[in-house]
Amino acid sequence: MEFKDFKELATYAKEENCSDIHITVGTNIAVRRYGELKILEPAPSAEISRNMIFSILNQEQVEKVTGGSDLDVGVMLWDGTRIRANVYHQRNNLACSIRILNQSIPTFEELLLPPVCKDLAEQPRGLVLVTGPTGSGKSTTLASMVDYINRTTSRHVLTIEDPIEYVYPHDKAMIHQREVGKDVTSFATALRSALREDPDIILVGEMRDYETISAAITAAETGHLVLSTLHTTSAAQTVERIIDATPLEGQDQIRTQFSNVIKGVITQTLVPTADADGRVVATEIMLGTPAIGNLIRDKKTIQIPSSIQAGRQAGMHLLNDDLVSLVARGRITKENAMWVSNDPAALDKMC
């Protein structure tokens, strides 16, 4: 399958429902479809590959890349599709990983997310985290929450992203989107400025370091609803990651602060469907109940899974609970459920 330019390649990828494209100068193009990587034959010439990468960059970005820098960019294509791209160097050649974003923002119902996600988007203040491995749909879930807020409430939403992924038109809400590296120097700087910009809701693309985590928790403490993401695979691991990112002398304080502001953690992963013609989301939900808050403060995060199971009535559930339900309904196979589970042995017994 030969492509003479990026437009042809992107059109093919979208028609095949691919989520990612990988272009490497000097070798084959690869695409990711429903989580599976597929190598495309034959390999394009080095010149075609390089031109494909350069076609999504402006002149300033081309100069940065040819000067040796790596680059994160968000780009709107000719047909309104947005992509997120990372351009980097390997074996003295250019490579580019591209994530294709949905042209329209899906609703909670379309994503098959649990109803409690809507409740979390309606919180007046506090911290809501969407977590999961790379490629698990975190950005889409966050976008769905912001879109729901935009359609239903008159609030000021400020997003801080690197790069900007989904673009929101003004509806009932007013939305300002700031891109790290273009509109502001860092997440933490943007968060400190945000407190003077009268937001009701602040979306932080990713809590990458202690400075950003601390600023996000402070924003939640001062009466804002803060939405963000982390690369963790369970609610308990999310709590530990927040604490571990904090210098030793500040960990007791951050435990108390975090336990007071956390409203919910949505942990998710995408699992191939049983018919291998798509993927379905499996979630773990932890809510910031008094019981969960006490466990966080008392350094008993190991007991969080038990507390989640005890809180099913409130809308909480473990990842294994959701996986078992999806297997029982024939949506996914037991083998794929075991592959993504945090506790395959327990899942095997449950199945």
Side-chain angles (χ1 to χ4, degrees):
M1 193 167 298
E2 292 193 63
F3 305 100
K4 67 175 186 289
D5 58 28
F6 181 71
K7 189 171 184 178
E8 283 187 2
L9 173 60
T11 301
Y12 163 83
K14 285 188 295 175
E15 285 172 353
E16 293 294 311
N17 292 318
C18 300
S19 60
D20 299 84
I21 301 170
H22 296 274
I23 305 168
T24 308
V25 174
T27 188
N28 298 67
I29 289 169
V31 293
R32 190 178 293 277
R33 183 176 185 266
Y34 304 142
E36 293 290 323
L37 201 66
K38 178 184 176 185
I39 308 296
L40 303 181
E41 297 282 358
S45 68
E47 185 184 10
I48 287 177
S49 294
R50 193 176 293 106
N51 288 341
M52 282 182 175
I53 295 171
F54 286 166
S55 70
I56 62 172
L57 306 177
N58 61 34
Q59 190 55 41
E60 183 189 350
Q61 290 164 341
V62 169
E63 287 169 10
K64 277 187 182 176
V65 165
T66 50
S69 298
D70 290 356
L71 203 63
D72 280 312
V73 293
V75 180
M76 179 87 76
L77 300 184
W78 61 92
D79 61 352
T81 304
R82 278 193 72 82
I83 60 170
R84 182 183 78 203
N86 178 267
V87 186
Y88 57 101
H89 299 76
Q90 66 90 44
R91 289 171 57 189
N92 209 29
N93 257 328
L94 273 185
C96 183
S97 295
I98 296 164
R99 171 68 48 83
I100 302 169
L101 304 170
N102 292 309
Q103 274 188 272
S104 59
I105 300 170
T107 63
F108 294 132
E109 292 75 21
E110 288 168 337
L111 293 174
L112 302 177
L113 289 168
V116 72
C117 294
K118 197 174 284 187
D119 300 335
L120 291 172
E122 291 172 345
Q123 291 292 321
R125 66 192 67 81
L127 180 64
V128 175
L129 297 174
V130 180
T131 80
T134 300
S136 59
K138 298 185 296 295
S139 298
T140 305
T141 296
L142 269 188
S144 182
M145 295 179 89
V146 172
D147 185 59
Y148 173 75
I149 291 162
N150 193 20
R151 288 184 283 108
T152 57
T153 61
S154 305
R155 301 170 87 181
H156 179 200
V157 182
L158 191 66
T159 79
I160 307 160
E161 302 171 74
D162 180 21
I164 288 172
E165 297 185 3
Y166 292 94
V167 175
Y168 309 92
H170 291 319
D171 195 340
K172 285 192 173 179
M174 182 169 70
I175 302 179
H176 288 123
Q177 295 182 260
R178 306 188 74 192
E179 185 165 321
V180 174
K182 283 187 180 177
D183 305 308
V184 68
T185 54
S186 70
F187 282 112
T189 303
L191 270 163
R192 284 193 291 271
S193 300
L195 302 183
R196 298 187 293 275
E197 288 153 10
D198 187 36
D200 298 295
I201 297 162
I202 304 169
L203 182 149
V204 184
E206 190 183 337
M207 300 216 297
R208 292 179 180 170
D209 51 40
Y210 168 64
E211 202 181 0
T212 306
I213 290 168
S214 177
I217 289 175
T218 299
E221 281 183 318
T222 52
H224 305 86
L225 177 62
V226 179
L227 311 173
S228 192
T229 69
L230 274 174
H231 287 91
T232 51
T233 55
S234 72
Q237 191 187 48
T238 301
V239 176
E240 290 297 345
R241 179 68 57 83
I242 295 283
I243 307 307
D244 289 346
T246 306
L248 211 54
E249 65 275 9
Q251 289 189 357
D252 287 342
Q253 184 185 346
I254 209 86
R255 276 184 188 278
T256 302
Q257 288 177 296
F258 184 66
S259 67
N260 289 335
V261 299
I262 189 65
K263 295 296 179 186
V265 176
I266 304 162
T267 299
Q268 63 182 60
T269 187
L270 292 174
V271 191
T273 53
D275 60 8
D277 196 33
R279 288 189 293 174
V280 65
V281 69
T283 58
E284 176 168 300
I285 304 289
M286 181 189 88
L287 301 177
T289 60
I292 292 287
N294 287 336
L295 292 178
I296 295 170
R297 276 191 297 274
D298 296 343
K299 305 181 184 179
K300 295 178 180 175
T301 48
I302 198 167
Q303 294 178 27
I304 283 177
S306 302
S307 193
I308 289 173
Q309 282 185 310
R312 291 181 70 92
Q313 203 99 31
M316 292 195 270
H317 63 256
L318 292 172
L319 180 62
N320 271 1
D321 298 330
D322 208 16
L323 291 171
V324 166
S325 171
L326 289 168
V327 170
R329 285 182 281 146
R331 296 298 308 280
I332 62 174
T333 63
K334 182 183 172 185
E335 290 71 29
N336 281 334
M338 298 279 281
W339 177 256
V340 300
S341 172
N342 294 324
D343 189 349
L347 178 68
D348 194 30
K349 285 181 186 174
M350 292 165 77
C351 284

